mmCIF file of all heavy atoms in Angstrom:
data_model
loop_
_atom_site.group_PDB
_atom_site.id
_atom_site.type_symbol
_atom_site.label_atom_id
_atom_site.label_comp_id
_atom_site.label_asym_id
_atom_site.label_seq_id
_atom_site.Cartn_x
_atom_site.Cartn_y
_atom_site.Cartn_z
ATOM 1 N N ILE A 110 34.676 105.178 85.091
ATOM 2 C CA ILE A 110 33.792 104.241 84.379
ATOM 3 C C ILE A 110 32.346 104.708 84.559
ATOM 4 O O ILE A 110 31.911 104.934 85.692
ATOM 5 C CB ILE A 110 33.930 102.813 84.963
ATOM 6 C CG1 ILE A 110 35.392 102.354 84.922
ATOM 7 C CG2 ILE A 110 33.023 101.834 84.228
ATOM 8 C CD1 ILE A 110 35.676 101.112 85.777
ATOM 9 N N GLY A 111 31.615 104.846 83.456
ATOM 10 C CA GLY A 111 30.255 105.380 83.532
ATOM 11 C C GLY A 111 29.185 104.349 83.213
ATOM 12 O O GLY A 111 29.452 103.348 82.550
ATOM 13 N N PRO A 112 27.936 104.613 83.646
ATOM 14 C CA PRO A 112 26.786 103.764 83.310
ATOM 15 C C PRO A 112 25.993 104.364 82.148
ATOM 16 O O PRO A 112 26.374 105.401 81.608
ATOM 17 C CB PRO A 112 25.963 103.813 84.592
ATOM 18 C CG PRO A 112 26.151 105.217 85.070
ATOM 19 C CD PRO A 112 27.529 105.676 84.604
ATOM 20 N N TRP A 113 24.859 103.757 81.794
ATOM 21 C CA TRP A 113 24.108 104.213 80.609
ATOM 22 C C TRP A 113 22.932 105.104 80.940
ATOM 23 O O TRP A 113 22.349 105.718 80.066
ATOM 24 C CB TRP A 113 23.605 103.003 79.801
ATOM 25 C CG TRP A 113 22.903 101.960 80.638
ATOM 26 C CD1 TRP A 113 23.436 100.777 81.080
ATOM 27 C CD2 TRP A 113 21.567 102.006 81.152
ATOM 28 N NE1 TRP A 113 22.518 100.085 81.830
ATOM 29 C CE2 TRP A 113 21.357 100.820 81.893
ATOM 30 C CE3 TRP A 113 20.511 102.913 81.069
ATOM 31 C CZ2 TRP A 113 20.158 100.526 82.542
ATOM 32 C CZ3 TRP A 113 19.316 102.635 81.723
ATOM 33 C CH2 TRP A 113 19.152 101.460 82.442
ATOM 34 N N ASN A 114 22.518 105.190 82.213
ATOM 35 C CA ASN A 114 21.218 105.825 82.476
ATOM 36 C C ASN A 114 21.251 107.356 82.380
ATOM 37 O O ASN A 114 20.308 107.965 81.899
ATOM 38 C CB ASN A 114 20.634 105.345 83.802
ATOM 39 C CG ASN A 114 21.484 105.666 84.987
ATOM 40 O OD1 ASN A 114 22.713 105.714 84.890
ATOM 41 N ND2 ASN A 114 20.876 105.901 86.123
ATOM 42 N N TYR A 115 22.322 107.964 82.867
ATOM 43 C CA TYR A 115 22.591 109.388 82.594
ATOM 44 C C TYR A 115 23.988 109.394 81.985
ATOM 45 O O TYR A 115 24.968 109.756 82.634
ATOM 46 C CB TYR A 115 22.484 110.232 83.881
ATOM 47 C CG TYR A 115 21.055 110.353 84.326
ATOM 48 C CD1 TYR A 115 20.480 109.398 85.149
ATOM 49 C CD2 TYR A 115 20.247 111.386 83.854
ATOM 50 C CE1 TYR A 115 19.136 109.471 85.503
ATOM 51 C CE2 TYR A 115 18.911 111.476 84.201
ATOM 52 C CZ TYR A 115 18.363 110.516 85.031
ATOM 53 O OH TYR A 115 17.037 110.589 85.371
ATOM 54 N N LEU A 119 27.080 111.384 84.143
ATOM 55 C CA LEU A 119 27.732 110.457 85.071
ATOM 56 C C LEU A 119 29.137 110.068 84.623
ATOM 57 O O LEU A 119 29.912 109.510 85.388
ATOM 58 C CB LEU A 119 26.857 109.221 85.294
ATOM 59 C CG LEU A 119 25.559 109.522 86.068
ATOM 60 C CD1 LEU A 119 24.649 108.303 86.109
ATOM 61 C CD2 LEU A 119 25.840 110.008 87.488
ATOM 62 N N LYS A 137 35.841 105.573 80.449
ATOM 63 C CA LYS A 137 35.169 104.405 79.854
ATOM 64 C C LYS A 137 33.657 104.596 80.020
ATOM 65 O O LYS A 137 33.109 104.407 81.098
ATOM 66 C CB LYS A 137 35.652 103.124 80.561
ATOM 67 C CG LYS A 137 34.764 101.902 80.357
ATOM 68 C CD LYS A 137 34.736 101.408 78.922
ATOM 69 C CE LYS A 137 33.781 100.223 78.772
ATOM 70 N NZ LYS A 137 32.347 100.608 78.780
ATOM 71 N N PRO A 138 32.957 104.965 78.921
ATOM 72 C CA PRO A 138 31.498 105.115 78.991
ATOM 73 C C PRO A 138 30.829 103.751 78.933
ATOM 74 O O PRO A 138 31.470 102.746 78.628
ATOM 75 C CB PRO A 138 31.194 105.895 77.717
ATOM 76 C CG PRO A 138 32.244 105.403 76.760
ATOM 77 C CD PRO A 138 33.493 105.156 77.577
ATOM 78 N N SER A 139 29.524 103.746 79.178
ATOM 79 C CA SER A 139 28.772 102.504 78.986
ATOM 80 C C SER A 139 28.594 102.243 77.499
ATOM 81 O O SER A 139 28.354 103.167 76.719
ATOM 82 C CB SER A 139 27.399 102.612 79.653
ATOM 83 O OG SER A 139 26.607 101.520 79.246
ATOM 84 N N GLU A 140 28.649 100.991 77.139
ATOM 85 C CA GLU A 140 28.446 100.595 75.734
ATOM 86 C C GLU A 140 26.952 100.586 75.376
ATOM 87 O O GLU A 140 26.600 100.412 74.217
ATOM 88 C CB GLU A 140 29.081 99.224 75.465
ATOM 89 C CG GLU A 140 28.576 98.060 76.305
ATOM 90 C CD GLU A 140 29.286 97.913 77.656
ATOM 91 O OE1 GLU A 140 29.628 98.929 78.276
ATOM 92 O OE2 GLU A 140 29.473 96.751 78.083
ATOM 93 N N PHE A 141 26.081 100.777 76.390
ATOM 94 C CA PHE A 141 24.639 100.640 76.132
ATOM 95 C C PHE A 141 23.928 101.950 75.815
ATOM 96 O O PHE A 141 22.711 101.962 75.681
ATOM 97 C CB PHE A 141 23.974 99.925 77.315
ATOM 98 C CG PHE A 141 24.482 98.525 77.477
ATOM 99 C CD1 PHE A 141 25.157 98.120 78.620
ATOM 100 C CD2 PHE A 141 24.316 97.607 76.454
ATOM 101 C CE1 PHE A 141 25.647 96.836 78.745
ATOM 102 C CE2 PHE A 141 24.798 96.313 76.569
ATOM 103 C CZ PHE A 141 25.476 95.919 77.717
ATOM 104 N N GLY A 167 33.776 100.199 74.360
ATOM 105 C CA GLY A 167 33.716 98.742 74.253
ATOM 106 C C GLY A 167 33.037 98.075 75.429
ATOM 107 O O GLY A 167 32.551 98.724 76.364
ATOM 108 N N ASP A 168 33.035 96.760 75.343
ATOM 109 C CA ASP A 168 32.379 95.920 76.349
ATOM 110 C C ASP A 168 33.163 95.984 77.661
ATOM 111 O O ASP A 168 34.310 95.533 77.746
ATOM 112 C CB ASP A 168 32.350 94.482 75.775
ATOM 113 C CG ASP A 168 31.943 93.457 76.805
ATOM 114 O OD1 ASP A 168 31.279 93.849 77.792
ATOM 115 O OD2 ASP A 168 32.296 92.267 76.630
ATOM 116 N N GLY A 169 32.522 96.533 78.695
ATOM 117 C CA GLY A 169 33.200 96.736 79.977
ATOM 118 C C GLY A 169 33.819 95.458 80.531
ATOM 119 O O GLY A 169 34.919 95.486 81.085
ATOM 120 N N ALA A 170 33.108 94.337 80.365
ATOM 121 C CA ALA A 170 33.565 93.086 80.967
ATOM 122 C C ALA A 170 34.903 92.624 80.397
ATOM 123 O O ALA A 170 35.624 91.857 81.034
ATOM 124 C CB ALA A 170 32.512 92.001 80.771
ATOM 125 N N SER A 171 35.247 93.067 79.175
ATOM 126 C CA SER A 171 36.572 92.677 78.666
ATOM 127 C C SER A 171 37.561 93.849 78.695
ATOM 128 O O SER A 171 38.725 93.678 79.056
ATOM 129 C CB SER A 171 36.451 92.075 77.254
ATOM 130 O OG SER A 171 35.882 93.007 76.393
ATOM 131 N N ILE A 173 37.686 96.599 80.630
ATOM 132 C CA ILE A 173 38.128 97.122 81.935
ATOM 133 C C ILE A 173 39.120 96.178 82.635
ATOM 134 O O ILE A 173 40.192 96.622 83.070
ATOM 135 C CB ILE A 173 36.907 97.495 82.809
ATOM 136 C CG1 ILE A 173 36.228 98.716 82.154
ATOM 137 C CG2 ILE A 173 37.310 97.825 84.245
ATOM 138 C CD1 ILE A 173 34.888 99.077 82.691
ATOM 139 N N PRO A 174 38.825 94.870 82.720
ATOM 140 C CA PRO A 174 39.834 93.988 83.326
ATOM 141 C C PRO A 174 41.166 94.032 82.563
ATOM 142 O O PRO A 174 42.234 93.967 83.170
ATOM 143 C CB PRO A 174 39.200 92.595 83.248
ATOM 144 C CG PRO A 174 37.731 92.862 83.174
ATOM 145 C CD PRO A 174 37.573 94.152 82.439
ATOM 146 N N TYR A 187 34.032 104.554 89.772
ATOM 147 C CA TYR A 187 33.076 103.707 89.059
ATOM 148 C C TYR A 187 31.637 104.087 89.413
ATOM 149 O O TYR A 187 31.308 104.217 90.600
ATOM 150 C CB TYR A 187 33.329 102.236 89.439
ATOM 151 C CG TYR A 187 32.206 101.329 89.026
ATOM 152 C CD1 TYR A 187 32.124 100.834 87.731
ATOM 153 C CD2 TYR A 187 31.204 100.982 89.929
ATOM 154 C CE1 TYR A 187 31.064 100.027 87.346
ATOM 155 C CE2 TYR A 187 30.139 100.168 89.551
ATOM 156 C CZ TYR A 187 30.079 99.698 88.257
ATOM 157 O OH TYR A 187 29.030 98.899 87.874
ATOM 158 N N THR A 188 30.806 104.241 88.413
ATOM 159 C CA THR A 188 29.362 104.400 88.637
ATOM 160 C C THR A 188 28.659 103.268 87.914
ATOM 161 O O THR A 188 28.869 103.068 86.704
ATOM 162 C CB THR A 188 28.844 105.745 88.081
ATOM 163 O OG1 THR A 188 29.595 106.799 88.664
ATOM 164 C CG2 THR A 188 27.370 105.946 88.426
ATOM 165 N N GLY A 189 27.807 102.552 88.623
ATOM 166 C CA GLY A 189 27.076 101.445 87.998
ATOM 167 C C GLY A 189 26.468 100.556 89.064
ATOM 168 O O GLY A 189 26.297 100.967 90.218
ATOM 169 N N SER A 190 26.181 99.335 88.675
ATOM 170 C CA SER A 190 25.475 98.427 89.578
ATOM 171 C C SER A 190 26.384 97.944 90.708
ATOM 172 O O SER A 190 27.613 97.904 90.577
ATOM 173 C CB SER A 190 24.974 97.217 88.788
ATOM 174 O OG SER A 190 26.085 96.515 88.266
ATOM 175 N N THR A 191 25.747 97.553 91.788
ATOM 176 C CA THR A 191 26.483 97.018 92.940
ATOM 177 C C THR A 191 27.210 95.731 92.542
ATOM 178 O O THR A 191 28.354 95.497 92.961
ATOM 179 C CB THR A 191 25.502 96.761 94.109
ATOM 180 O OG1 THR A 191 24.908 98.023 94.447
ATOM 181 C CG2 THR A 191 26.187 96.178 95.320
ATOM 182 N N VAL A 193 28.543 94.792 89.578
ATOM 183 C CA VAL A 193 29.805 95.066 88.869
ATOM 184 C C VAL A 193 30.753 95.863 89.781
ATOM 185 O O VAL A 193 31.968 95.695 89.725
ATOM 186 C CB VAL A 193 29.542 95.791 87.527
ATOM 187 C CG1 VAL A 193 30.849 96.213 86.870
ATOM 188 C CG2 VAL A 193 28.766 94.884 86.579
ATOM 189 N N GLY A 194 30.185 96.671 90.669
ATOM 190 C CA GLY A 194 31.011 97.416 91.629
ATOM 191 C C GLY A 194 31.912 96.481 92.435
ATOM 192 O O GLY A 194 33.079 96.787 92.696
ATOM 193 N N ILE A 196 33.083 93.612 91.437
ATOM 194 C CA ILE A 196 34.144 93.119 90.530
ATOM 195 C C ILE A 196 35.247 94.182 90.435
ATOM 196 O O ILE A 196 36.449 93.872 90.509
ATOM 197 C CB ILE A 196 33.562 92.814 89.127
ATOM 198 C CG1 ILE A 196 32.511 91.711 89.215
ATOM 199 C CG2 ILE A 196 34.662 92.446 88.142
ATOM 200 C CD1 ILE A 196 31.754 91.452 87.901
ATOM 201 N N ILE A 197 34.835 95.438 90.293
ATOM 202 C CA ILE A 197 35.810 96.532 90.171
ATOM 203 C C ILE A 197 36.632 96.638 91.468
ATOM 204 O O ILE A 197 37.859 96.791 91.442
ATOM 205 C CB ILE A 197 35.061 97.879 89.915
ATOM 206 C CG1 ILE A 197 34.246 97.820 88.631
ATOM 207 C CG2 ILE A 197 36.027 99.075 89.944
ATOM 208 C CD1 ILE A 197 35.004 97.806 87.337
ATOM 209 N N MET A 200 39.252 93.894 91.670
ATOM 210 C CA MET A 200 40.405 94.129 90.773
ATOM 211 C C MET A 200 41.284 95.234 91.339
ATOM 212 O O MET A 200 42.514 95.147 91.318
ATOM 213 C CB MET A 200 39.932 94.513 89.365
ATOM 214 C CG MET A 200 39.398 93.343 88.581
ATOM 215 S SD MET A 200 39.131 93.757 86.836
ATOM 216 C CE MET A 200 37.684 94.781 86.917
ATOM 217 N N GLU A 211 30.117 104.467 93.029
ATOM 218 C CA GLU A 211 28.790 105.106 93.043
ATOM 219 C C GLU A 211 27.809 104.043 92.569
ATOM 220 O O GLU A 211 27.677 103.819 91.369
ATOM 221 C CB GLU A 211 28.780 106.335 92.124
ATOM 222 C CG GLU A 211 29.767 107.427 92.514
ATOM 223 C CD GLU A 211 29.290 108.240 93.720
ATOM 224 O OE1 GLU A 211 28.083 108.214 94.012
ATOM 225 O OE2 GLU A 211 30.140 108.880 94.364
ATOM 226 N N LEU A 212 27.135 103.398 93.501
ATOM 227 C CA LEU A 212 26.350 102.209 93.172
ATOM 228 C C LEU A 212 24.845 102.488 93.282
ATOM 229 O O LEU A 212 24.428 103.625 93.413
ATOM 230 C CB LEU A 212 26.770 101.051 94.080
ATOM 231 C CG LEU A 212 28.291 100.821 94.156
ATOM 232 C CD1 LEU A 212 28.621 99.712 95.128
ATOM 233 C CD2 LEU A 212 28.874 100.517 92.771
ATOM 234 N N GLY A 213 24.070 101.437 93.250
ATOM 235 C CA GLY A 213 22.614 101.604 93.247
ATOM 236 C C GLY A 213 21.980 101.058 94.506
ATOM 237 O O GLY A 213 22.562 101.120 95.583
ATOM 238 N N GLY A 214 20.790 100.520 94.362
ATOM 239 C CA GLY A 214 20.099 99.948 95.516
ATOM 240 C C GLY A 214 18.662 100.405 95.590
ATOM 241 O O GLY A 214 18.149 101.002 94.648
ATOM 242 N N MET A 244 16.843 105.791 87.180
ATOM 243 C CA MET A 244 17.581 106.819 87.909
ATOM 244 C C MET A 244 18.061 106.202 89.226
ATOM 245 O O MET A 244 17.273 105.593 89.946
ATOM 246 C CB MET A 244 16.647 108.001 88.206
ATOM 247 C CG MET A 244 17.331 109.202 88.810
ATOM 248 S SD MET A 244 16.184 110.346 89.603
ATOM 249 C CE MET A 244 15.346 111.074 88.242
ATOM 250 N N CYS A 245 19.364 106.361 89.502
ATOM 251 C CA CYS A 245 19.912 105.687 90.691
ATOM 252 C C CYS A 245 19.285 106.193 91.974
ATOM 253 O O CYS A 245 19.171 105.451 92.933
ATOM 254 C CB CYS A 245 21.425 105.852 90.744
ATOM 255 S SG CYS A 245 21.934 107.576 90.784
ATOM 256 N N GLN A 291 16.684 95.273 79.757
ATOM 257 C CA GLN A 291 16.123 96.035 80.868
ATOM 258 C C GLN A 291 14.597 96.042 80.794
ATOM 259 O O GLN A 291 13.921 95.975 81.819
ATOM 260 C CB GLN A 291 16.666 97.476 80.846
ATOM 261 C CG GLN A 291 18.161 97.569 81.126
ATOM 262 C CD GLN A 291 18.534 97.089 82.523
ATOM 263 O OE1 GLN A 291 17.789 97.262 83.478
ATOM 264 N NE2 GLN A 291 19.689 96.465 82.644
ATOM 265 N N GLU A 335 16.758 96.171 93.104
ATOM 266 C CA GLU A 335 16.562 97.556 92.655
ATOM 267 C C GLU A 335 15.661 97.538 91.423
ATOM 268 O O GLU A 335 15.927 96.790 90.480
ATOM 269 C CB GLU A 335 17.926 98.167 92.303
ATOM 270 C CG GLU A 335 17.840 99.592 91.830
ATOM 271 C CD GLU A 335 19.209 100.166 91.430
ATOM 272 O OE1 GLU A 335 20.172 99.393 91.275
ATOM 273 O OE2 GLU A 335 19.291 101.399 91.273
ATOM 274 N N PHE A 337 14.700 100.096 89.114
ATOM 275 C CA PHE A 337 15.337 100.767 87.973
ATOM 276 C C PHE A 337 14.428 100.783 86.754
ATOM 277 O O PHE A 337 14.839 100.487 85.629
ATOM 278 C CB PHE A 337 16.671 100.086 87.652
ATOM 279 C CG PHE A 337 17.760 101.083 87.335
ATOM 280 C CD1 PHE A 337 18.098 102.091 88.225
ATOM 281 C CD2 PHE A 337 18.459 101.031 86.133
ATOM 282 C CE1 PHE A 337 19.081 103.017 87.936
ATOM 283 C CE2 PHE A 337 19.446 101.962 85.835
ATOM 284 C CZ PHE A 337 19.755 102.945 86.743
ATOM 285 N N LEU A 363 21.132 104.379 98.746
ATOM 286 C CA LEU A 363 21.804 105.549 98.171
ATOM 287 C C LEU A 363 21.098 106.828 98.603
ATOM 288 O O LEU A 363 21.725 107.859 98.833
ATOM 289 C CB LEU A 363 21.806 105.419 96.643
ATOM 290 C CG LEU A 363 22.507 106.511 95.844
ATOM 291 C CD1 LEU A 363 23.967 106.647 96.260
ATOM 292 C CD2 LEU A 363 22.411 106.230 94.350
ATOM 293 N N PHE A 403 27.820 113.967 97.080
ATOM 294 C CA PHE A 403 26.931 112.928 96.561
ATOM 295 C C PHE A 403 27.650 111.581 96.574
ATOM 296 O O PHE A 403 28.742 111.454 96.009
ATOM 297 C CB PHE A 403 26.471 113.261 95.137
ATOM 298 C CG PHE A 403 25.570 112.200 94.591
ATOM 299 C CD1 PHE A 403 24.286 112.053 95.098
ATOM 300 C CD2 PHE A 403 26.002 111.311 93.622
ATOM 301 C CE1 PHE A 403 23.443 111.047 94.643
ATOM 302 C CE2 PHE A 403 25.172 110.298 93.160
ATOM 303 C CZ PHE A 403 23.895 110.179 93.672
ATOM 304 N N SER A 409 25.496 100.797 98.738
ATOM 305 C CA SER A 409 25.198 101.832 97.727
ATOM 306 C C SER A 409 26.438 102.625 97.339
ATOM 307 O O SER A 409 26.355 103.531 96.510
ATOM 308 C CB SER A 409 24.069 102.750 98.193
ATOM 309 O OG SER A 409 24.418 103.447 99.359
ATOM 310 N N TYR A 414 31.292 112.777 95.584
ATOM 311 C CA TYR A 414 31.773 113.783 94.628
ATOM 312 C C TYR A 414 30.754 114.887 94.444
ATOM 313 O O TYR A 414 29.832 115.009 95.224
ATOM 314 C CB TYR A 414 32.203 113.126 93.312
ATOM 315 C CG TYR A 414 31.137 112.643 92.350
ATOM 316 C CD1 TYR A 414 31.145 113.075 91.034
ATOM 317 C CD2 TYR A 414 30.147 111.745 92.733
ATOM 318 C CE1 TYR A 414 30.201 112.620 90.107
ATOM 319 C CE2 TYR A 414 29.211 111.291 91.824
ATOM 320 C CZ TYR A 414 29.240 111.724 90.518
ATOM 321 O OH TYR A 414 28.316 111.272 89.621
HETATM 322 P P1 NAD B 1 26.722 98.304 85.014
HETATM 323 O O1 NAD B 1 27.297 97.949 86.315
HETATM 324 O O2 NAD B 1 26.126 97.243 84.188
HETATM 325 O O3 NAD B 1 27.772 99.046 84.061
HETATM 326 C C1 NAD B 1 28.507 100.154 84.461
HETATM 327 C C2 NAD B 1 29.845 100.159 83.750
HETATM 328 O O4 NAD B 1 30.555 98.994 84.117
HETATM 329 C C3 NAD B 1 29.751 100.170 82.233
HETATM 330 O O5 NAD B 1 30.699 101.089 81.708
HETATM 331 C C4 NAD B 1 30.111 98.767 81.840
HETATM 332 O O6 NAD B 1 30.794 98.719 80.602
HETATM 333 C C5 NAD B 1 31.048 98.340 82.949
HETATM 334 N N1 NAD B 1 31.014 96.888 83.187
HETATM 335 C C6 NAD B 1 29.973 96.052 83.017
HETATM 336 N N2 NAD B 1 30.334 94.792 83.347
HETATM 337 C C7 NAD B 1 31.623 94.836 83.740
HETATM 338 C C8 NAD B 1 32.543 93.856 84.207
HETATM 339 N N3 NAD B 1 32.215 92.574 84.336
HETATM 340 N N4 NAD B 1 33.783 94.263 84.537
HETATM 341 C C9 NAD B 1 34.127 95.551 84.436
HETATM 342 N N5 NAD B 1 33.294 96.513 83.987
HETATM 343 C C10 NAD B 1 32.062 96.172 83.648
HETATM 344 O O7 NAD B 1 25.672 99.441 85.417
HETATM 345 P P2 NAD B 1 24.588 100.064 84.507
HETATM 346 O O8 NAD B 1 23.575 99.001 84.204
HETATM 347 O O9 NAD B 1 25.235 100.797 83.389
HETATM 348 O O10 NAD B 1 23.932 101.136 85.491
HETATM 349 C C11 NAD B 1 22.840 100.846 86.307
HETATM 350 C C12 NAD B 1 23.249 100.729 87.759
HETATM 351 O O11 NAD B 1 24.062 101.823 88.112
HETATM 352 C C13 NAD B 1 22.085 100.773 88.695
HETATM 353 O O12 NAD B 1 22.295 99.846 89.714
HETATM 354 C C14 NAD B 1 22.125 102.183 89.257
HETATM 355 O O13 NAD B 1 21.517 102.339 90.511
HETATM 356 C C15 NAD B 1 23.580 102.427 89.290
HETATM 357 N N6 NAD B 1 23.835 103.857 89.220
HETATM 358 C C16 NAD B 1 24.378 104.473 90.289
HETATM 359 C C17 NAD B 1 24.578 105.831 90.248
HETATM 360 C C18 NAD B 1 25.181 106.577 91.385
HETATM 361 O O14 NAD B 1 25.520 107.740 91.194
HETATM 362 N N7 NAD B 1 25.334 105.997 92.543
HETATM 363 C C19 NAD B 1 24.232 106.544 89.110
HETATM 364 C C20 NAD B 1 23.679 105.859 88.031
HETATM 365 C C21 NAD B 1 23.509 104.518 88.090
#
Side-chain angles (χ1 to χ4, degrees):
I110 304 166
W113 49 259
N114 61 328
Y115 289 87
L119 292 173
K137 163 66 183 75
S139 169
E140 59 274 36
F141 296 117
D168 169 23
S171 59
I173 292 169
Y187 166 83
T188 304
S190 63
T191 299
V193 174
I196 298 173
I197 300 289
M200 285 190 287
E211 299 284 341
L212 311 177
M244 187 198 289
C245 59
Q291 293 297 326
E335 180 182 14
F337 222 56
L363 182 57
F403 180 71
S409 62
Y414 75 126

